[in-house]
C-alpha cells in the first residue's frame, strides 16, 4: 500500500466532496435495503390481514407511504451520489494529472524520461484514471459496507438477536474473506492488464504515426500484426478480469441463497417466542437486501493489483530526481547577457566518450557567437547546458558572473530565448501556440510577429483562431520553424540561442529570416548554431568545433586569414 500513499494524501483537498459522496452512497444503500425489507413485510402483512378479521383495521397507508418514500430516497440518493462522487473524483484526477505533469516537466530532457511518448501518454491518462479505483472501488465501498453491516445487524437484532447476529457474522466473514481472496486472484491479472494497455497504446501509436513511412517501406503489415498481437493480449487480460467478476457474483449469489435458507430456518418457529408472522418475511427480505452491500465489497480488491501497478508506474516519474534542481530562492535579478564557460565537459550517462571536452568561452553582453561543426560535435549539447537542461560534470557556466546553478528557474527562463531544431506545435489555436512565448501579448503583437516571419497566410480566414495540430491546419516544416522564430520575437530576452533556425527554408526566406533575427538581436547576446556558412561575417566570434572541442576560434576575417579548417570550409562553397 506504500505505492498508494502519495495519492491518498491528495484526497485531503477534496475531502468534503468525497465524504458527501460516501454519505449519499450510504443513504442509497440503506434506502434500498429498507425498501425491500418494508415491501416484504407489507406484502406478507397484507396477505395475513386479508385472511383474518384484521383486514378491517390494517393500516395500508403508512407502509405504502414508506415504500414510496424509500423508493424516492433510493432514486435521489443514487443520482446524487453519482453526481457528487464522480464530480469529486474527476476533480481529484485533474489535480493528479497536474501534479504528475509538474513532476514530469523538470525531468525533461533528463535520463529518467527516456520513455516513449505513447508510454508517457499512457501514464498520464490510463494510469492516472486507475487511481479512481482507490476511492470508487476501495475506500467508498468498504466504508459504506462496514456502516451498512452494523446498521442491518442492529436492526435485525432488535427483532431477533440470534438472526441479527448470525447475519452480521456471515456478512463480516464475507467482507474479510472475499476482498483478500479476490485481491490474490486478481493481482497478477491486474498487473498484466495494466501493461497490456500500455503496450497496446505504444504499438498502436507507432503504427498510426508512422503509417506513411511503413507503407513506403512495405512494413505496414508487419507492424499492424504487432498491434493485433498486443490487442489480443489486452482482450485476454480483460476476459480474465471479467471472469473473476463473474466468479465473485456467483459466490455472492450462492452465499445469499444459503444464508437466506439459514435465516428462515432460524425464524421458522417464530420471532421471540411468537407465532410465525409477517416479521419472518421482513427478516427474509432484509437478508436478501443486505447482500447488496457486499456486491461492491467483493470486487473491491480485485482491481487493487492493477491500481498498485499503475501507482508504481506513476511513482517512477513522481519520485525521480531531476538531473538539475533549481533553488527556489536563487538569484533572480534581471540578466545582462554575459556568458562565461570555464573548461566545461559533459558525457552522456550511457556513454564513455565526452560530447564536450574542456570547452571555454567568454561572451560579453551584446556579443554574437557562431558555432560550426559537423553533426555530433557537441553544439546542441552546449545549448542544453546553457539553458541548464543538464549540468556539466566538469567546469562551470556563469551568467553575469553568477554560476548558472545559483539562478532561480523563472529568472533563467526569462533571460534566455531558444529556437531549437524541433519546434513543437500544440493542438490548439494559433493564438494559444503564441501565448506560450508571452502570455501578456496582444493580438496585434501576435499578428505583427507572424507578418515579420512571413506567415501572413495564417492570418486569413479564422486568423489567430485557426486550429493547429490534429484536426486543424497542417503546417509544413518551414512554417513550423517560422512559428518558433515568431515565438522568439515575442519572448524578448537579453540572450538569444538559435539552433539551425533557417533549416528547411529556401534561400530567399533564409536571408529574410537571418536579417530579421540580426535586427532583433542587435543589442542581445547571440549564440548561433549553423551548418550553413551564412551570416558569419556579422558575428563577433566564430568557433569551429570537432569531437567536443573548439579547434578554431576568432572573427570571420581572422579565421579566413589563418588558412585553417574554417578557410577550407569556406573555399568549398
Amino acid at each position: 500500500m506504500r505505492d498508494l500513499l502519495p495519492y491518498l494524501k491528495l484526497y485531503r483537498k477534496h475531502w468534503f466532496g468525497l465524504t458527501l459522496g460516501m454519505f449519499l452512497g450510504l443513504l442509497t444503500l440503506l434506502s434500498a435495503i429498507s425498501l425491500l425489507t418494508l415491501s416484504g413485510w407489507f406484502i406478507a402483512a397484507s396477505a395475513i390481514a386479508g385472511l383474518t378479521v384484521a383486514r378491517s383495521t390494517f393500516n395500508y397507508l403508512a407502509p405504502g407511504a414508506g415504500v414510496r418514500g424509500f423508493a424516492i430516497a433510493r432514486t435521489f440518493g443514487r443520482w446524487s451520489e453519482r453526481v457528487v462522487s464522480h464530480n469529486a473524483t474527476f476533480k481529484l484526477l485533474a489535480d493528479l494529472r497536474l501534479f504528475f505533469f509538474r513532476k514530469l516537466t523538470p525531468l525533461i530532457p533528463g535520463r529518467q524520461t527516456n520513455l516513449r511518448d505513447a508510454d508517457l501518454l499512457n501514464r498520464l491518462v490510463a494510469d492516472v484514471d486507475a487511481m479512481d479505483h482507490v476511492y470508487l472501488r476501495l475506500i467508498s465501498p468498504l466504508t459504506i459496507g462496514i456502516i451498512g453491516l452494523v446498521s442491518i445487524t442492529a436492526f435485525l437484532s432488535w427483532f431477533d438477536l440470534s438472526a441479527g447476529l448470525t447475519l452480521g457474522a456471515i456478512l463480516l466473514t464475507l467482507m474479510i474473506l472475499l476482498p483478500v481472496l479476490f485481491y490474490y486472484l486478481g493481482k497478477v491479472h491486474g498487473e498484466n492488464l495494466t501493461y497490456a494497455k500500455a503496450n497496446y497504446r505504444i504499438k498502436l501509436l507507432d503504427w498510426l504515426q508512422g503509417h506513411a513511412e511503413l507503407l513506403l517501406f512495405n512494413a505496414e503489415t508487419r507492424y499492424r500484426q504487432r498491434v493485433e498481437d498486443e490487442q489480443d493480449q489486452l482482450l485476454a487480460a480483460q476476459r480474465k478480469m471479467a471472469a473473476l467478476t463473474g466468479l465473485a457474483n456467483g459466490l455472492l449469489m450462492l452465499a445469499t441463497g444459503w444464508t437466506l435458507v439459514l435465516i428462515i430456518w432460524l425464524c421458522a418457529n417464530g420471532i421471540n417466542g411468537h407465532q410465525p408472522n409477517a416479521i419472518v418475511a421482513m427478516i427474509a427480505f432484509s437478508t436478501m437486501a443486505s447482500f447488496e452491500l457486499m456486491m461492491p465489497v467483493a470486487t473491491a480488491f480485485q482491481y487493487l493489483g492493477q491500481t498498485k501497478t499503475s501507482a508504481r508506474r506513476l511513482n517512477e516519474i513522481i519520485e525521480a530526481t531531476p538531473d538539475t534542481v533549481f533553488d527556489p530562492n536563487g538569484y533572480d535579478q534581471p540578466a545582462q547577457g554575459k556568458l562565461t564557460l570555464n573548461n566545461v565537459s559533459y558525457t552522456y550517462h550511457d556513454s564513455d566518450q565526452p560530447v564536450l571536452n574542456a570547452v571555454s568561452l567568454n561572451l560579453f553582453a551584446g556579443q554574437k557567437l557562431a558555432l560550426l561543426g559537423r553533426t555530433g560535435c557537441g553544439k546542441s549539447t552546449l545549448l542544453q547546458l546553457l539553458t541548464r537542461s543538464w549540468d556539466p560534470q566538469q567546469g562551470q557556466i556563469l551568467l553575469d558572473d553568477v554560476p548558472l546553478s545559483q539562478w532561480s528557474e523563472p529568472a533563467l527562463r526569462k533571460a534566455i530565448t531558444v529556437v531549437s531544431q524541433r519546434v513543437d506545435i500544440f493542438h490548439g489555436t494559433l493564438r494559444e501556440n503564441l501565448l506560450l512565448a508571452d502570455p501578456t501579448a496582444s493580438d496585434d503583437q501576435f499578428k505583427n510577429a507572424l507578418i515579420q516571419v512571413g506567415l501572413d497566410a495564417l492570418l486569413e480566414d479564422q486568423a489567430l483562431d485557426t486550429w493547429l495540430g490534429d484536426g486543424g491546419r497542417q503546417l509544413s516544416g518551414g512554417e513550423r520553424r517560422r512559428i518558433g522564430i515568431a515565438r522568439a520575437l515575442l519572448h524578448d530576452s537579453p540572450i538569444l540561442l538559435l539552433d539551425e533556425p533557417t533549416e528547411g527554408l529556401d534561400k530567399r526566406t533564409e536571408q529574410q529570416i537571418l536579417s530579421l533575427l540580426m535586427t532583433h538581436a542587435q543589442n542581445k547576446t547571440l549564440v548561433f548554431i549553423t551548418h550553413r556558412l551564412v551570416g558569419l561575417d556579422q558575428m563577433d566570434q566564430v568557433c569551429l568545433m570537432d569531437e567536443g572541442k573548439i579547434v578554431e576560434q576568432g572573427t570571420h576575417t581572422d579565421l579566413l586569414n589563418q588558412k585553417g579548417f574554417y578557410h577550407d570550409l569556406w573555399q568549398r562553397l
Side-chain angles (χ1 to χ4, degrees):
M1 297 296 288
R2 188 187 66 84
D3 295 325
L4 299 176
L5 288 179
Y7 312 101
L8 294 175
K9 293 178 182 178
L10 292 176
Y11 285 6
R12 290 180 296 184
K13 182 178 179 181
H14 302 279
W15 69 269
F16 180 77
L18 297 175
T19 304
L20 180 59
M22 283 191 286
F23 173 77
L24 291 171
L26 178 62
L27 173 65
T28 303
L29 175 67
L30 295 179
S31 297
I33 295 175
S34 300
L35 175 61
L36 189 56
T37 301
L38 180 58
S39 298
W41 174 85
F42 188 28
I43 294 171
S46 299
I48 294 172
L51 297 175
T52 64
V53 295
R55 62 180 178 273
S56 58
T57 59
F58 183 74
N59 184 0
Y60 295 91
L61 298 179
V67 169
R68 291 182 177 85
F70 286 129
I72 293 172
R74 181 177 181 272
T75 304
F76 170 77
R78 181 68 67 193
W79 176 82
S80 301
E81 185 268 335
R82 289 289 187 268
V83 171
V84 173
S85 63
H86 282 73
N87 178 63
T89 303
F90 290 148
K91 288 181 178 179
L92 177 66
L93 295 181
D95 288 344
L96 180 55
R97 285 195 175 91
L98 291 174
F99 172 69
F100 178 80
F101 194 78
R102 292 190 185 104
K103 292 290 185 178
L104 173 65
T105 303
L107 301 177
I108 299 173
R111 59 180 180 271
Q112 292 91 348
T113 53
N114 188 23
L115 300 169
R116 308 285 292 274
D117 289 346
D119 192 21
L120 284 176
L121 179 63
N122 194 77
R123 295 178 194 233
L124 190 60
V125 178
D127 289 337
V128 170
D129 282 344
M131 292 301 103
D132 71 354
H133 293 180
V134 179
Y135 169 72
L136 292 178
R137 295 189 176 181
L138 186 63
I139 296 177
S140 180
L142 286 178
T143 303
I144 294 173
I146 291 172
I147 298 176
L149 186 153
V150 173
S151 301
I152 192 66
T153 301
F155 174 74
L156 292 185
S157 296
W158 189 68
F159 291 95
D160 187 280
L161 184 61
S162 61
L165 293 179
T166 300
L167 179 61
I170 293 173
L171 293 177
L172 181 60
T173 301
L174 292 174
M175 187 170 289
I176 294 174
L177 293 180
L178 288 181
V180 175
L181 173 64
F182 283 96
Y183 167 68
Y184 284 104
L185 289 177
K187 182 179 180 181
V188 175
H189 299 317
E191 292 177 358
N192 293 339
L193 182 59
T194 299
Y195 286 112
K197 286 181 179 178
N199 294 334
Y200 176 63
R201 180 165 297 189
I202 291 172
K203 293 294 191 297
L204 181 61
L205 286 181
D206 284 346
W207 178 65
L208 291 174
Q209 292 176 344
H211 196 260
E213 289 79 5
L214 293 174
L215 286 173
L216 183 64
F217 290 97
N218 198 28
E220 189 271 342
T221 303
R222 185 170 73 254
Y223 273 77
R224 177 169 180 170
Q225 185 59 47
R226 293 180 183 179
V227 174
E228 293 177 351
D229 291 342
E230 293 295 342
Q231 177 182 264
D232 291 340
Q233 293 186 28
L234 175 59
L235 292 175
Q238 290 175 334
R239 279 194 294 268
K240 290 176 181 178
M241 293 299 283
L244 286 179
T245 302
L247 177 61
N249 292 334
L251 289 177
L252 278 177
M253 291 180 65
L254 181 64
T256 301
W258 282 108
T259 302
L260 180 61
V261 170
L262 177 61
I263 294 299
I264 293 177
W265 179 77
L266 289 176
C267 300
N269 293 325
I271 305 297
N272 287 330
H274 299 288
Q275 291 294 320
N277 54 25
I279 301 296
V280 176
M282 181 196 73
I283 294 178
F285 277 88
S286 181
T287 299
M288 288 190 293
S290 64
F291 276 83
E292 183 172 337
L293 65 87
M294 294 303 304
M295 293 300 292
V297 173
T299 56
F301 281 67
Q302 178 182 336
Y303 288 88
L304 185 57
Q306 177 187 354
T307 303
K308 291 176 64 177
T309 303
S310 295
R312 283 196 298 270
R313 285 166 49 82
L314 293 175
N315 289 340
E316 291 175 5
I317 302 297
I318 291 173
E319 297 178 356
T321 302
D323 286 352
T324 56
V325 179
F326 285 87
D327 182 0
N329 300 315
Y331 188 80
D332 61 355
Q333 298 300 312
Q336 302 302 312
K338 180 182 179 182
L339 288 173
T340 306
L341 284 76
N342 294 325
N343 295 315
V344 171
S345 297
Y346 184 80
T347 303
Y348 291 121
H349 71 281
D350 56 353
S351 173
D352 296 328
Q353 182 68 29
V355 66
L356 290 175
N357 192 354
V359 174
S360 294
L361 286 170
N362 192 19
L363 201 60
F364 291 102
Q367 286 191 326
K368 296 168 180 56
L369 167 71
L371 291 175
L372 282 76
R374 58 186 178 183
T375 301
C377 69
K379 305 185 303 298
S380 297
T381 301
L382 184 58
L383 255 63
Q384 297 281 18
L385 296 178
L386 290 175
T387 57
R388 207 170 172 236
S389 295
W390 307 310
D391 284 331
Q393 284 107 2
Q394 296 179 12
Q396 192 177 43
I397 302 177
L398 299 95
L399 172 57
D400 293 345
D401 297 321
V402 178
L404 216 60
S405 58
Q406 295 182 13
W407 281 75
S408 69
E409 186 172 15
L412 183 62
R413 300 292 175 246
K414 188 176 181 180
I416 299 177
T417 298
V418 182
V419 178
S420 62
Q421 293 185 30
R422 173 179 171 176
V423 179
D424 290 309
I425 301 297
F426 298 93
H427 303 318
T429 64
L430 179 58
R431 180 186 293 103
E432 290 169 340
N433 273 275
L434 295 175
L435 277 171
L436 295 170
D438 185 2
T440 64
S442 64
D443 284 358
D444 290 338
Q445 290 174 290
F446 293 149
K447 292 177 181 178
N448 182 55
L450 292 173
I451 292 172
Q452 284 182 287
V453 298
L455 291 178
D456 313 54
L458 294 182
L459 296 176
E460 299 174 358
D461 299 328
Q462 294 181 315
L464 293 174
D465 293 321
T466 300
W467 187 267
L468 304 180
D470 290 346
R473 191 187 191 283
Q474 298 301 310
L475 300 176
S476 67
E479 288 175 327
R480 295 170 70 96
R481 181 78 60 177
R482 282 181 282 172
I483 284 182
I485 295 170
R487 288 172 177 166
L489 299 178
L490 291 165
H491 188 263
D492 193 19
S493 61
I495 301 174
L496 183 58
L497 308 180
L498 305 176
D499 191 356
E500 302 284 355
T502 59
E503 186 73 21
L505 302 180
D506 59 75
K507 290 280 187 181
R508 180 180 178 183
T509 306
E510 180 183 45
Q511 292 298 326
Q512 293 174 346
I513 294 298
L514 281 177
S515 176
L516 171 65
L517 289 172
M518 291 305 168
T519 302
H520 176 71
Q522 187 171 5
N523 298 314
K524 303 179 186 297
T525 303
L526 174 66
V527 178
F528 177 39
I529 292 178
T530 181
H531 283 100
R532 305 171 71 172
L533 305 183
V534 290
L536 301 181
D537 55 339
Q538 304 177 55
M539 300 293 155
D540 297 300
Q541 296 184 51
V542 177
C543 291
L544 184 63
M545 297 185 65
D546 189 36
E547 295 184 355
K549 297 180 180 179
I550 296 177
V551 294
E552 288 187 5
Q553 181 176 359
T555 64
H556 170 70
T557 303
D558 291 341
L559 292 179
L560 288 178
N561 293 333
Q562 290 178 15
K563 306 292 185 178
F565 293 112
Y566 182 79
H567 177 268
D568 294 341
L569 287 173
W570 193 264
Q571 292 300 315
R572 294 173 190 169
L573 293 179

